[in-house]
Amino acid sequence: MDTISLVDSKRSNNYEATRYSRSDNCYEATSNSLSKNEDQINANGLDKEVVEKLNPEEFSVQEAIDHIGFGWFQIKLSVISGLTWMADSMEIMLLSILGPVLSCQWDLQPWKQALLTTLVMVGMATGSSFWGKMSDKHGRKTALALASSLIGYFGFLSAFSPMYLWMAICRFLVGCCLAALPQTVTLYSEYLPTQSRAASLIALEAFFAVGAAVEVIMALIIMPRLGWRYLMAFSALPVLFFPILSPWLPESARFLLTCGRHKEAVAMLDRIARDNGKTLPRGKLSTLVIENISRGRIRDMYQPSTRRLSVLLNILWFLLGFSYYGMALLLPTLLNKPDGCHGNDVKVATKETCSVSCKPFTEEDYMELTVTSFADAPGLLISYLLQLVMQRRHCISLITTVFSIFLFLSNICLNRSTLTALMFVSRSMISGAHQIAFVYTTECFPTSIRALGLGTNSGLARMGAIVTPYVAQVGTEWSAFFSFTFYGVVGLLAALFSILLPFDTKGRAMVDISH
């Protein structure tokens, strides 16, 4: 047999082996077949370099996903991930609606009303690293299905609260489980093509706004007719869609590969290709040397190669969380207790105390809450447009700088309409920066600690949310100039720390293990 015939025979054998491996996910058979062919070729004197060139090409998970592209599979995953994001938003908005009602019905002091929100945030802050670690060790799908079930259970249990202590404990436990929901971003991002990853993750944030609006509409329908207990019970139902749909939900192919479950990773990629009407790239999925791969260890975030990245992201996420949640509190506090400059046309009306009369939300109040829920939308659009032409870290820096400028402008004595407009822009900007931070964080960490990295930083954002009322509410009562200036300075610090990040991730393939 001459060399050309032998080469053609080799290609034919490779083709058959590749077809066999894709249909049965049996790469061992492929390897054995190729090994026999190599022995045959070597016996006929063919150069080893030629043999290596004849071997099937290898492709990574990211190369496979980029080849398959964005299609029906990603659309379905977007909806499921979006429902989870909606559930997170609904639970947070629920507290804004129930706080005044419970304060009146149970005659709560202001600090007890505020404590309910604080306990949810504390739960989210303390649970974030746990769920991140669990996602890296046992799978994104497993952690999300368990957490969603627990959120539904404790949320439903809250509806039967006979006293404040019961409610406080249930809301803390709900917060602990809500900490797992950002891992939907981890799972979602690991199935997105490189070119559409940022746009898809930013668009996912729209579900958060929709969730808040849905909660307000539910409250408008349920509260006047059935009361707050039914609202809590119905609010716990949407999150249960996730465990119900989890049999369809895929586990991350990247996670499976880092666990050494090579055949399952191939099967998952093959399933995505079929859903999108495509085929896998020619060749076989590359393998990882997994003997020394550790998953979900927090110390791996702070090893020399990733220490600077992790520390800077920790600080950045805290500052962004502090600013984002502060904007939700600052304007209502100021308009309720004007200082004669900020919103200088606001007049304080004498209100009856809760012990004398408890007035429910009016339809107008609910409509205003619905509109406010979409305040983040312009920021998401701006973020999307900027990331098309700029690096991720430069986007965060620019947006947080604009955020600070509008806050400094708010220190000029303005009427209510102008102040509200400036605050609207500020909130939109910080929302956009927060979402790009999500994109950057999922892209910068390797698969082995990606969920932990996102969970830890998300927890630090919640820590910022715990601290921010002391500036947005307490500080504003002392001096609104202080609060606006403080948040402006925080925005500039966020801009600085984002610029100091060691590298950018735009167009960068997601890696599976750190080197």
Side-chain angles (χ1 to χ4, degrees), residues 325-482:
Y325 290 101
M327 291 303 98
L329 298 173
L330 184 55
L331 185 60
T333 302
L334 189 59
L335 296 180
N336 187 52
K337 296 182 179 180
D339 64 347
C341 177
H342 301 84
N344 53 30
D345 57 340
V346 178
K347 298 184 182 300
V348 182
T350 304
K351 296 183 180 179
E352 293 176 304
T353 61
C354 207
S355 58
V356 177
S357 174
C358 288
K359 295 182 179 180
F361 282 108
T362 64
E363 185 174 339
E364 184 180 358
D365 293 330
Y366 284 120
M367 291 305 296
E368 288 184 358
L369 283 173
T370 304
V371 173
T372 305
S373 302
F374 290 98
D376 296 349
L380 299 180
L381 178 60
I382 292 171
S383 300
Y384 167 73
L385 295 174
L386 286 177
Q387 63 85 29
L388 293 176
V389 296
M390 298 177 64
Q391 293 186 353
R392 314 276 196 245
R393 52 183 180 173
H394 292 165
C395 285
I396 298 173
S397 182
L398 176 60
I399 292 173
T400 50
T401 300
V402 174
F403 162 78
S404 296
I405 290 172
F406 275 83
L407 284 176
F408 291 140
L409 289 174
S410 299
N411 266 331
I412 303 172
C413 290
L414 304 165
N415 58 38
R416 174 172 178 165
S417 298
T418 306
L419 177 65
T420 302
L422 291 175
M423 293 292 294
F424 186 89
V425 174
S426 296
R427 178 170 174 174
S428 296
M429 291 297 100
I430 201 63
S431 173
H434 197 264
Q435 195 58 22
I436 293 180
F438 263 105
V439 176
Y440 183 92
T441 305
T442 57
E443 292 177 330
C444 70
F445 286 110
T447 301
S448 55
I449 56 170
R450 182 172 296 121
L452 178 62
L454 183 61
T456 301
N457 285 295
S458 178
L460 286 165
R462 305 299 183 179
M463 290 297 293
I466 294 170
V467 176
T468 202
Y470 293 98
V471 176
Q473 294 175 324
V474 179
T476 300
E477 291 187 18
W478 173 65
S479 170
F481 287 98
F482 163 78

Side-chain angles (χ1 to χ4, degrees), residues 18 30 87 92 103 106 152 214-215 227 310 328 365 406 458:
T18 303
T30 304
I92 294 175
S103 180
W106 288 348
V214 168
E215 183 65 32
S310 297
D365 293 330
F406 275 83
S458 178

Side-chain angles (χ1 to χ4, degrees), residues 24-154:
D24 297 320
N25 300 319
C26 187
Y27 281 103
E28 290 82 355
T30 304
S31 299
N32 292 336
S33 175
L34 296 179
S35 178
K36 291 177 181 178
N37 287 331
E38 288 175 9
D39 291 341
Q40 181 183 357
I41 293 172
N42 288 330
N44 286 273
L46 194 62
D47 187 82
K48 183 178 180 181
E49 183 179 352
V50 177
V51 174
E52 292 175 351
K53 290 181 179 180
L54 292 173
N55 282 336
E57 296 179 359
E58 289 190 345
F59 56 85
S60 66
V61 172
Q62 189 62 61
E63 288 170 339
I65 294 172
D66 288 342
H67 176 82
I68 295 168
F70 192 97
W72 180 237
F73 174 86
Q74 282 82 7
I75 292 173
K76 291 188 289 185
L77 188 58
S78 299
V79 173
I80 296 177
S81 302
L83 288 173
T84 308
W85 230 203
M86 284 177 60
D88 188 355
S89 176
M90 290 174 69
E91 288 292 340
I92 294 175
M93 178 57 74
L94 178 64
L95 292 173
S96 300
I97 297 171
L98 287 183
V101 177
L102 294 178
S103 180
C104 291
Q105 185 166 338
W106 288 348
D107 193 24
L108 300 179
Q109 296 178 12
W111 69 268
K112 283 190 173 182
Q113 179 184 340
L115 184 61
L116 288 176
T117 303
T118 301
L119 285 172
V120 173
M121 294 298 176
V122 170
M124 295 175 82
T126 55
S128 294
S129 293
F130 167 78
W131 290 110
K133 184 174 183 177
M134 183 175 183
S135 296
D136 281 330
K137 281 186 170 293
H138 303 289
R140 288 78 162 110
K141 175 180 173 179
T142 302
L144 286 168
L146 176 59
S148 299
S149 301
L150 292 174
I151 292 169
Y153 174 74
F154 290 122

Side-chain angles (χ1 to χ4, degrees), residues 158-177:
S158 301
F160 297 93
S161 300
M163 62 183 73
Y164 177 80
L165 180 60
W166 180 307
M167 176 67 76
I169 293 173
C170 285
R171 298 323 292 172
F172 172 75
L173 294 173
V174 166
C176 288
C177 299

